[in-house]
Each structure stands twice: as C-alpha cells, then as structure tokens.
Amino acid sequence: MLRDPSDIRAIQYDTVVTPGHRGHGLGRAVKRHMLGTVSALHPGVREIATTVADDNGPMLAVNERLGYRRERPVAVFQAKL
C-alpha cells in the first residue's frame, strides 16, 4: 500500500498462508514477488514496512532473511464481546 504515489515508504500488511500449506516457502515467495513488483512499478519506494506477530517465528525468520529489521514494538489489543 502506498498512502500517496510520491511516498518513498510502502506498507505491506499481512502475509497469510493457510495451515495446510505452511512450511513450503510460499510466504517467502509471496513476499519476494511483492518486493520485486513494488521495485519495478514504484522505483521511488525505498522502504517497505510489514507487520508480524511476535510469536510467529517462521514469518519473523522470513522477514529477517529478506532484509527486514525490527523498527519498533507494537501492541495490538483485542477484547472478546
């Protein structure tokens, strides 16, 4: 997502792989494809932010291998109704 076409920073929200397909490199493939597509279509973008839960070790590892670095801690709260 680009908030504005002139932005140098894009945001990539969730990467979802259903449980039956996890562990095959699909999340990494999707993220690599997205990085290449953003680079080709929006050459002015210099940063891409993404989100991942602290307890999602596999996706944290994917992000690290792709060059993402932790920017800041984020807390998300949920209340059941």
Side-chain angles (χ1 to χ4, degrees), residues 16-27:
V16 178
V17 178
T18 59
H21 297 283
R22 291 179 184 159
H24 302 286
L26 295 174

Side-chain angles (χ1 to χ4, degrees), residues 26-72:
L26 295 174
R28 182 178 59 243
V30 166
K31 289 187 97 122
R32 288 185 73 185
H33 181 76
M34 181 272 307
L35 291 168
T37 299
V38 169
S39 181
L41 297 177
H42 303 282
V45 170
R46 295 287 169 241
E47 297 177 352
I48 298 178
T50 190
T51 58
V52 62
D54 284 336
D55 63 350
N56 188 343
M59 191 55 72
L60 288 168
V62 164
N63 286 340
E64 187 173 317
R65 283 194 302 272
L66 291 175
Y68 288 93
R69 298 293 172 252
R70 184 176 295 269
E71 182 178 68
R72 64 182 180 264

